[in-house]
Coordinates of all heavy atoms in Angstrom, one line a residue:
M129 N 70.8 -59.4 28.9 CA 69.5 -58.8 28.6 C 69.2 -57.6 29.4 O 68.6 -56.6 28.9 CB 68.5 -59.9 28.8 CG 67.1 -59.4 28.4 SD 66.0 -60.8 28.4 CE 64.4 -59.9 28.5
D130 N 69.7 -57.6 30.7 CA 69.4 -56.4 31.5 C 70.1 -55.2 30.9 O 69.6 -54.1 31.0 CB 69.9 -56.7 32.9 CG 69.1 -57.7 33.6 OD1 68.0 -57.9 33.2 OD2 69.6 -58.3 34.6
D131 N 71.3 -55.4 30.4 CA 72.1 -54.2 29.8 C 71.3 -53.6 28.6 O 71.2 -52.4 28.5 CB 73.4 -54.7 29.3 CG 74.4 -55.1 30.4 OD1 74.2 -54.7 31.5 OD2 75.4 -55.8 30.1
V132 N 70.7 -54.5 27.8 CA 69.9 -54.0 26.6 C 68.7 -53.2 27.2 O 68.5 -52.1 26.7 CB 69.4 -55.2 25.8 CG1 68.5 -54.7 24.7 CG2 70.6 -55.9 25.2
L133 N 68.0 -53.7 28.1 CA 66.8 -53.0 28.6 C 67.2 -51.7 29.3 O 66.5 -50.7 29.2 CB 66.0 -53.9 29.6 CG 65.4 -55.1 29.0 CD1 64.7 -55.9 30.1 CD2 64.4 -54.7 27.9
Q134 N 68.3 -51.7 30.1 CA 68.7 -50.5 30.7 C 69.1 -49.4 29.7 O 68.8 -48.2 29.8 CB 69.9 -50.7 31.7 CG 69.4 -51.5 32.9 CD 70.7 -51.8 33.8 OE1 71.8 -51.6 33.5 NE2 70.3 -52.5 34.9
E135 N 69.9 -49.8 28.7 CA 70.3 -48.9 27.6 C 69.1 -48.3 26.9 O 69.0 -47.1 26.6 CB 71.3 -49.5 26.7 CG 71.9 -48.5 25.7 CD 73.0 -49.2 24.9 OE1 73.7 -50.1 25.3 OE2 73.2 -48.7 23.8
A136 N 68.2 -49.2 26.5 CA 67.0 -48.8 25.9 C 66.2 -47.8 26.7 O 65.7 -46.8 26.2 CB 66.1 -50.0 25.5
F137 N 66.1 -48.1 28.0 CA 65.3 -47.2 28.9 C 66.0 -45.8 28.9 O 65.3 -44.7 28.9 CB 65.3 -47.8 30.3 CG 64.4 -47.0 31.2 CD1 63.0 -47.0 31.0 CD2 65.0 -46.3 32.3 CE1 62.2 -46.3 31.9 CE2 64.2 -45.6 33.1 CZ 62.8 -45.6 33.0
I138 N 67.3 -45.8 29.0 CA 68.1 -44.5 29.0 C 67.8 -43.7 27.7 O 67.6 -42.6 27.7 CB 69.6 -44.8 29.2 CG1 69.8 -45.2 30.6 CG2 70.4 -43.5 28.9 CD1 71.2 -45.7 30.9
K139 N 67.9 -44.5 26.6 CA 67.6 -43.8 25.3 C 66.2 -43.2 25.2 O 66.0 -42.1 24.7 CB 67.8 -44.8 24.1 CG 69.2 -45.2 23.8 CD 69.3 -46.2 22.7 CE 70.8 -46.6 22.5 NZ 70.9 -47.6 21.4
L140 N 65.2 -44.0 25.8 CA 63.9 -43.4 25.8 C 63.8 -42.2 26.7 O 63.1 -41.2 26.2 CB 62.9 -44.5 26.4 CG 62.7 -45.7 25.4 CD1 61.9 -46.8 26.2 CD2 61.8 -45.3 24.2
L141 N 64.4 -42.2 27.8 CA 64.3 -41.0 28.6 C 65.1 -39.8 28.0 O 64.6 -38.7 28.1 CB 65.0 -41.3 30.0 CG 64.2 -42.2 30.9 CD1 64.9 -42.5 32.2 CD2 62.8 -41.6 31.2
E142 N 66.2 -40.1 27.3 CA 67.0 -39.0 26.8 C 66.2 -38.4 25.5 O 66.5 -37.2 25.1 CB 68.4 -39.5 26.3 CG 69.2 -39.7 27.5 CD 70.6 -40.2 27.1 OE1 70.8 -40.8 26.0 OE2 71.5 -40.1 28.0
S143 N 65.4 -39.2 24.9 CA 64.8 -38.7 23.6 C 63.8 -37.6 23.9 O 63.6 -36.7 23.1 CB 64.1 -39.9 22.9 OG 62.9 -40.3 23.7
N144 N 63.1 -37.7 25.1 CA 62.2 -36.7 25.5 C 61.1 -36.4 24.5 O 60.8 -35.2 24.2 CB 62.9 -35.4 25.9 CG 62.1 -34.4 26.8 OD1 61.2 -34.9 27.4 ND2 62.5 -33.2 26.8
K145 N 60.6 -37.4 23.9 CA 59.5 -37.3 22.9 C 58.2 -37.2 23.5 O 58.0 -37.8 24.6 CB 59.6 -38.4 21.9 CG 60.8 -38.4 21.0 CD 60.6 -39.4 19.9 CE 61.8 -39.3 18.9 NZ 61.5 -38.6 17.7
H146 N 57.3 -36.6 22.8 CA 55.9 -36.5 23.3 C 55.0 -37.2 22.2 O 55.2 -37.0 21.0 CB 55.4 -35.1 23.4 CG 56.2 -34.4 24.5 ND1 56.0 -34.6 25.9 CD2 57.2 -33.5 24.4 CE1 56.9 -33.8 26.5 NE2 57.6 -33.1 25.7
F147 N 54.1 -38.0 22.6 CA 53.3 -38.8 21.7 C 51.8 -38.4 21.8 O 51.3 -38.1 22.9 CB 53.5 -40.3 22.0 CG 54.9 -40.7 21.9 CD1 55.7 -40.9 23.0 CD2 55.5 -41.0 20.6 CE1 57.0 -41.3 23.0 CE2 56.8 -41.3 20.6 CZ 57.6 -41.5 21.7
S148 N 51.1 -38.6 20.7 CA 49.7 -38.2 20.7 C 48.8 -39.3 21.2 O 47.7 -39.0 21.7 CB 49.3 -37.8 19.3 OG 49.5 -38.9 18.4
N149 N 49.3 -40.6 21.2 CA 48.5 -41.6 21.7 C 49.4 -42.8 22.1 O 50.6 -42.8 21.9 CB 47.5 -42.1 20.6 CG 48.2 -42.6 19.4 OD1 49.2 -43.3 19.4 ND2 47.6 -42.3 18.2
K150 N 48.8 -43.8 22.8 CA 49.5 -44.9 23.4 C 50.2 -45.8 22.3 O 51.2 -46.3 22.5 CB 48.6 -45.8 24.3 CG 48.2 -45.1 25.5 CD 47.3 -46.0 26.3 CE 46.9 -45.3 27.6 NZ 46.1 -46.2 28.5
N151 N 49.5 -45.9 21.2 CA 50.0 -46.8 20.1 C 51.3 -46.2 19.6 O 52.3 -46.9 19.3 CB 49.0 -47.0 19.0 CG 47.9 -47.9 19.4 OD1 48.0 -48.7 20.3 ND2 46.7 -47.7 18.7
E152 N 51.3 -44.9 19.4 CA 52.5 -44.3 18.9 C 53.7 -44.4 19.9 O 54.8 -44.7 19.5 CB 52.3 -42.8 18.7 CG 53.3 -42.1 17.9 CD 52.9 -40.6 17.7 OE1 51.7 -40.3 17.4 OE2 53.8 -39.7 17.8
A153 N 53.5 -44.3 21.1 CA 54.5 -44.4 22.2 C 54.9 -45.9 22.2 O 56.1 -46.2 22.3 CB 53.9 -44.0 23.5
Y154 N 54.0 -46.8 22.2 CA 54.3 -48.2 22.2 C 55.2 -48.6 21.0 O 56.2 -49.3 21.2 CB 53.1 -49.1 22.2 CG 53.3 -50.6 22.1 CD1 53.8 -51.3 23.1 CD2 53.2 -51.2 20.8 CE1 54.1 -52.7 23.0 CE2 53.4 -52.5 20.7 CZ 53.9 -53.3 21.8 OH 54.2 -54.6 21.6
N155 N 54.9 -48.2 19.8 CA 55.7 -48.5 18.7 C 57.1 -47.9 18.7 O 58.0 -48.6 18.3 CB 54.9 -48.1 17.4 CG 53.7 -48.9 17.1 OD1 53.7 -50.1 17.4 ND2 52.7 -48.3 16.5
Y156 N 57.2 -46.7 19.2 CA 58.5 -46.1 19.4 C 59.3 -46.8 20.4 O 60.5 -47.1 20.1 CB 58.3 -44.6 19.8 CG 59.7 -43.9 20.0 CD1 60.4 -43.5 18.9 CD2 60.2 -43.7 21.3 CE1 61.7 -43.0 19.1 CE2 61.4 -43.1 21.4 CZ 62.1 -42.7 20.3 OH 63.4 -42.1 20.5
M157 N 58.8 -47.2 21.5 CA 59.5 -48.0 22.6 C 59.9 -49.3 22.0 O 61.1 -49.7 22.2 CB 58.7 -48.1 23.8 CG 58.5 -46.9 24.6 SD 57.7 -47.1 26.2 CE 56.0 -47.5 25.7
R158 N 59.0 -49.9 21.3 CA 59.4 -51.3 20.7 C 60.6 -51.2 19.7 O 61.5 -52.0 19.7 CB 58.1 -51.8 20.0 CG 58.2 -53.3 19.7 CD 56.9 -53.8 19.2 NE 57.1 -54.2 17.8 CZ 56.3 -54.2 16.8 NH1 55.1 -53.7 17.0 NH2 56.6 -54.6 15.7
K159 N 60.6 -50.1 18.9 CA 61.6 -49.9 18.0 C 62.9 -49.7 18.6 O 64.0 -50.1 18.2 CB 61.2 -48.8 17.0 CG 62.2 -48.6 15.9 CD 61.6 -47.5 14.9 CE 62.4 -47.4 13.7 NZ 61.9 -46.5 12.7
V160 N 62.9 -48.8 19.7 CA 64.1 -48.5 20.4 C 64.7 -49.8 21.1 O 65.9 -50.1 21.0 CB 63.9 -47.4 21.5 CG1 65.1 -47.3 22.5 CG2 63.6 -46.1 20.8
V161 N 63.9 -50.6 21.7 CA 64.4 -51.8 22.3 C 64.9 -52.8 21.3 O 65.9 -53.4 21.4 CB 63.2 -52.5 23.1 CG1 63.6 -53.9 23.7 CG2 62.9 -51.6 24.3
F162 N 64.2 -52.9 20.1 CA 64.7 -53.8 19.1 C 66.0 -53.4 18.5 O 66.9 -54.2 18.4 CB 63.6 -53.8 18.0 CG 64.0 -54.7 16.8 CD1 63.9 -56.1 16.9 CD2 64.5 -54.2 15.7 CE1 64.2 -56.9 15.8 CE2 64.9 -55.0 14.6 CZ 64.7 -56.3 14.7
N163 N 66.1 -52.1 18.2 CA 67.4 -51.6 17.7 C 68.5 -51.7 18.7 O 69.7 -52.0 18.3 CB 67.2 -50.2 17.2 CG 66.4 -50.1 15.9 OD1 66.2 -51.0 15.2 ND2 65.8 -48.9 15.7
T164 N 68.3 -51.5 19.9 CA 69.3 -51.6 21.0 C 69.7 -53.0 21.1 O 71.0 -53.3 21.2 CB 68.8 -51.0 22.3 OG1 68.3 -49.7 22.1 CG2 69.9 -51.1 23.4
S165 N 68.8 -53.9 21.0 CA 69.2 -55.4 21.1 C 70.1 -55.8 19.9 O 71.0 -56.5 20.1 CB 68.0 -56.2 21.2 OG 67.2 -56.2 20.1
I166 N 69.7 -55.3 18.7 CA 70.6 -55.6 17.5 C 71.9 -55.0 17.7 O 72.9 -55.7 17.4 CB 69.9 -55.0 16.3 CG1 68.6 -55.7 16.0 CG2 70.8 -55.1 15.1 CD1 68.7 -57.1 15.5
D167 N 72.1 -53.8 18.2 CA 73.4 -53.1 18.5 C 74.2 -53.9 19.4 O 75.4 -54.2 19.2 CB 73.2 -51.7 19.0 CG 72.6 -50.8 17.9 OD1 72.6 -51.1 16.7 OD2 72.2 -49.7 18.4
H168 N 73.6 -54.4 20.5 CA 74.3 -55.2 21.5 C 74.8 -56.6 20.9 O 75.9 -57.0 21.1 CB 73.5 -55.5 22.7 CG 73.6 -54.5 23.7 ND1 74.4 -54.6 24.8 CD2 73.0 -53.2 23.9 CE1 74.4 -53.5 25.6 NE2 73.5 -52.7 25.0
Y169 N 73.9 -57.2 20.1 CA 74.3 -58.4 19.4 C 75.4 -58.2 18.5 O 76.4 -59.0 18.5 CB 73.1 -59.0 18.6 CG 73.4 -60.1 17.8 CD1 73.6 -61.4 18.4 CD2 73.6 -60.0 16.4 CE1 74.0 -62.5 17.6 CE2 74.1 -61.1 15.6 CZ 74.2 -62.3 16.2 OH 74.6 -63.4 15.5
R170 N 75.4 -57.2 17.7 CA 76.5 -56.9 16.8 C 77.8 -56.6 17.5 O 78.9 -57.1 17.1 CB 76.2 -55.7 15.9 CG 75.1 -56.1 14.8 CD 74.8 -54.9 14.0 NE 73.7 -55.2 13.0 CZ 72.9 -54.3 12.5 NH1 73.0 -53.0 12.8 NH2 72.0 -54.7 11.6
C171 N 77.7 -55.8 18.5 CA 78.9 -55.5 19.3 C 79.5 -56.8 19.9 O 80.7 -57.0 19.9 CB 78.6 -54.5 20.4 SG 80.0 -54.0 21.4
R172 N 78.7 -57.6 20.5 CA 79.2 -58.9 21.1 C 79.8 -59.8 20.0 O 80.8 -60.5 20.3 CB 78.0 -59.5 21.9 CG 78.5 -60.9 22.5 CD 77.4 -61.5 23.3 NE 77.4 -60.7 24.6 CZ 76.3 -60.8 25.4 NH1 75.3 -61.5 25.1 NH2 76.3 -60.0 26.5
R173 N 79.1 -59.9 18.9 CA 79.6 -60.8 17.8 C 81.0 -60.3 17.3 O 81.9 -61.1 17.1 CB 78.6 -60.7 16.7 CG 78.9 -61.7 15.7 CD 77.7 -61.8 14.7 NE 78.1 -62.7 13.6 CZ 77.6 -62.7 12.4 NH1 76.6 -61.8 12.2 NH2 78.0 -63.5 11.5
R174 N 81.1 -58.9 17.2 CA 82.5 -58.4 16.7 C 83.5 -58.7 17.8 O 84.6 -59.1 17.5 CB 82.4 -56.9 16.5 CG 81.6 -56.6 15.2 CD 81.7 -55.1 14.9 NE 80.6 -54.7 14.1 CZ 79.6 -53.9 14.4 NH1 79.7 -53.3 15.6 NH2 78.7 -53.7 13.5
R175 N 83.1 -58.5 19.1 CA 84.1 -58.7 20.1 C 84.6 -60.2 20.2 O 85.7 -60.5 20.3 CB 83.5 -58.3 21.5 CG 84.4 -58.1 22.6 CD 83.8 -57.6 23.8 NE 82.4 -57.2 23.5 CZ 81.5 -57.0 24.4 NH1 81.7 -57.0 25.6 NH2 80.2 -56.7 24.0
N176 N 83.6 -61.1 20.0 CA 83.9 -62.5 20.0 C 84.7 -62.9 18.8 O 85.7 -63.7 19.0 CB 82.6 -63.4 20.1 CG 82.0 -63.3 21.4 OD1 82.6 -62.9 22.5 ND2 80.7 -63.7 21.5
A177 N 84.4 -62.4 17.7 CA 85.2 -62.7 16.5 C 86.6 -62.2 16.6 O 87.5 -62.9 16.2 CB 84.5 -62.0 15.2
Y178 N 86.8 -61.0 17.2 CA 88.1 -60.5 17.3 C 88.9 -61.3 18.4 O 90.1 -61.6 18.1 CB 88.1 -59.0 17.8 CG 89.5 -58.5 17.8 CD1 90.2 -58.1 16.7 CD2 90.1 -58.3 19.1 CE1 91.4 -57.6 16.7 CE2 91.4 -57.8 19.1 CZ 92.1 -57.4 17.9 OH 93.3 -56.9 18.0
S179 N 88.3 -61.8 19.4 CA 89.0 -62.5 20.4 C 89.3 -63.9 19.9 O 90.4 -64.5 20.3 CB 88.2 -62.6 21.7 OG 87.0 -63.4 21.5
L180 N 88.5 -64.5 19.0 CA 88.8 -65.8 18.5 C 89.9 -65.7 17.3 O 90.7 -66.6 17.2 CB 87.6 -66.4 17.9 CG 86.5 -66.8 18.9 CD1 85.3 -67.3 18.2 CD2 87.0 -67.9 19.9
N181 N 89.9 -64.6 16.6 CA 90.8 -64.5 15.5 C 91.2 -63.0 15.4 O 90.7 -62.3 14.5 CB 90.1 -64.9 14.2 CG 91.1 -65.0 13.0 OD1 92.2 -64.8 13.1 ND2 90.5 -65.3 11.8
P182 N 92.2 -62.6 16.2 CA 92.6 -61.2 16.3 C 93.2 -60.7 15.0 O 93.1 -59.5 14.7 CB 93.7 -61.2 17.4 CG 93.7 -62.5 18.0 CD 92.9 -63.4 17.2
G183 N 93.7 -61.5 14.1 CA 94.3 -61.1 12.9 C 93.3 -60.7 11.8 O 93.5 -60.0 10.9
N184 N 92.1 -61.3 11.9 CA 91.0 -61.1 10.9 C 89.6 -61.1 11.6 O 88.9 -62.0 11.5 CB 91.1 -62.3 9.9 CG 90.1 -62.0 8.7 OD1 89.6 -60.9 8.6 ND2 90.0 -63.0 7.8
P185 N 89.3 -59.9 12.2 CA 88.0 -59.8 12.9 C 86.8 -59.8 11.9 O 85.7 -60.0 12.3 CB 88.1 -58.5 13.6 CG 89.1 -57.7 12.9 CD 90.1 -58.7 12.3
A186 N 87.1 -59.6 10.6 CA 86.0 -59.6 9.7 C 85.4 -60.9 9.3 O 84.4 -61.1 8.7 CB 86.4 -58.9 8.4
S187 N 86.1 -62.0 9.7 CA 85.7 -63.3 9.3 C 84.7 -63.8 10.3 O 85.0 -64.5 11.3 CB 86.9 -64.3 9.3 OG 87.5 -64.4 10.6
L188 N 83.4 -63.5 10.1 CA 82.3 -63.9 11.0 C 81.6 -65.0 10.4 O 81.4 -65.1 9.2 CB 81.4 -62.7 11.3 CG 82.0 -61.5 11.9 CD1 81.1 -60.4 12.0 CD2 82.5 -61.9 13.3
S189 N 81.1 -65.9 11.2 CA 80.3 -67.1 10.7 C 79.0 -66.6 10.3 O 78.2 -66.1 11.1 CB 80.3 -68.1 11.8 OG 79.3 -69.1 11.4
S190 N 78.5 -66.8 9.1 CA 77.2 -66.4 8.7 C 76.1 -67.5 9.2 O 75.0 -67.2 9.1 CB 77.2 -66.3 7.2 OG 77.4 -67.5 6.6
S191 N 76.6 -68.6 9.6 CA 75.6 -69.6 10.0 C 75.1 -69.4 11.5 O 74.2 -70.1 11.9 CB 76.2 -71.0 9.9 OG 77.3 -71.2 10.8
A192 N 75.8 -68.5 12.2 CA 75.4 -68.3 13.6 C 74.0 -67.6 13.6 O 73.7 -66.7 12.8 CB 76.5 -67.4 14.2
P193 N 73.2 -68.0 14.6 CA 71.9 -67.4 14.7 C 72.0 -65.9 15.1 O 72.9 -65.5 15.8 CB 71.2 -68.2 15.7 CG 72.2 -68.7 16.6 CD 73.4 -69.0 15.6
N194 N 71.2 -65.1 14.5 CA 71.1 -63.6 14.9 C 69.7 -63.2 15.1 O 68.8 -63.9 14.7 CB 71.8 -62.8 13.8 CG 71.1 -62.8 12.5 OD1 69.9 -62.6 12.5 ND2 71.9 -63.0 11.4
P195 N 69.5 -62.2 15.8 CA 68.1 -61.8 16.1 C 67.2 -61.6 15.0 O 66.0 -62.0 15.1 CB 68.3 -60.4 16.9 CG 69.7 -60.4 17.4 CD 70.4 -61.2 16.4
L196 N 67.7 -61.1 13.9 CA 66.8 -60.9 12.7 C 66.4 -62.3 12.1 O 65.2 -62.5 11.8 CB 67.5 -60.1 11.6 CG 66.7 -59.6 10.5 CD1 65.5 -58.8 11.0 CD2 67.5 -58.8 9.6
N197 N 67.3 -63.2 12.0 CA 67.0 -64.5 11.5 C 65.9 -65.2 12.5 O 65.0 -66.0 12.1 CB 68.2 -65.4 11.3 CG 68.9 -65.0 10.1 OD1 68.4 -64.3 9.2 ND2 70.2 -65.4 10.0
L198 N 66.2 -65.0 13.8 CA 65.3 -65.7 14.8 C 63.9 -65.1 14.6 O 62.8 -65.8 14.8 CB 65.8 -65.5 16.2 CG 67.1 -66.2 16.5 CD1 67.6 -65.8 17.8 CD2 67.0 -67.7 16.4
L199 N 63.7 -63.8 14.4 CA 62.4 -63.2 14.2 C 61.8 -63.7 12.9 O 60.5 -63.9 12.9 CB 62.5 -61.7 14.2 CG 62.8 -61.0 15.5 CD1 63.0 -59.5 15.3 CD2 61.6 -61.2 16.4
I200 N 62.5 -63.9 11.9 CA 62.0 -64.3 10.6 C 61.4 -65.7 10.7 O 60.4 -66.0 10.2 CB 63.0 -64.2 9.5 CG1 63.3 -62.7 9.2 CG2 62.6 -64.9 8.2 CD1 64.5 -62.5 8.3
E201 N 62.2 -66.6 11.4 CA 61.7 -67.9 11.7 C 60.5 -68.0 12.5 O 59.6 -68.6 12.4 CB 62.8 -68.8 12.3 CG 64.0 -69.0 11.4 CD 65.2 -69.7 12.2 OE1 65.0 -70.0 13.4 OE2 66.2 -69.9 11.5

């Protein structure tokens, strides 16, 4: 989780965006953190799938929980 927050913070600093109000800034930060967490989840999932089955990394279990399904529930 620390890696996700650090990467999101770096992305926020590198973006150098200016916002007209606090709500706009909050929504942008929320979106960056959410997208960064999804990227980390996908990367970890691919890495685990490849280490479990190096011959076929595309065979991922669809029953495994993911951040989007957890948010929907």
Side-chain angles (χ1 to χ4, degrees):
M129 183 168 159
D130 291 337
D131 293 340
V132 172
L133 293 176
Q134 288 176 358
E135 188 175 332
F137 187 68
I138 290 169
K139 286 179 181 180
L140 288 168
L141 290 175
E142 288 177 343
S143 70
N144 198 21
K145 290 193 176 257
H146 298 284
F147 302 101
S148 58
N149 60 39
K150 288 181 182 181
N151 287 335
E152 192 177 320
Y154 172 78
N155 289 331
Y156 179 75
M157 288 188 292
R158 197 173 116 210
K159 189 174 187 176
V160 168
V161 171
F162 179 79
N163 289 339
T164 304
S165 65
I166 294 291
D167 291 344
H168 270 264
Y169 171 77
R170 288 178 181 157
C171 181
R172 179 174 285 165
R173 187 171 176 202
R174 284 186 205 116
R175 196 173 355 166
N176 289 343
Y178 184 77
S179 66
L180 293 175
N181 190 1
N184 188 7
S187 64
L188 299 174
S189 169
S190 61
S191 63
N194 64 49
L196 190 56
N197 287 343
L198 294 174
L199 284 174
I200 291 170
E201 293 174 357

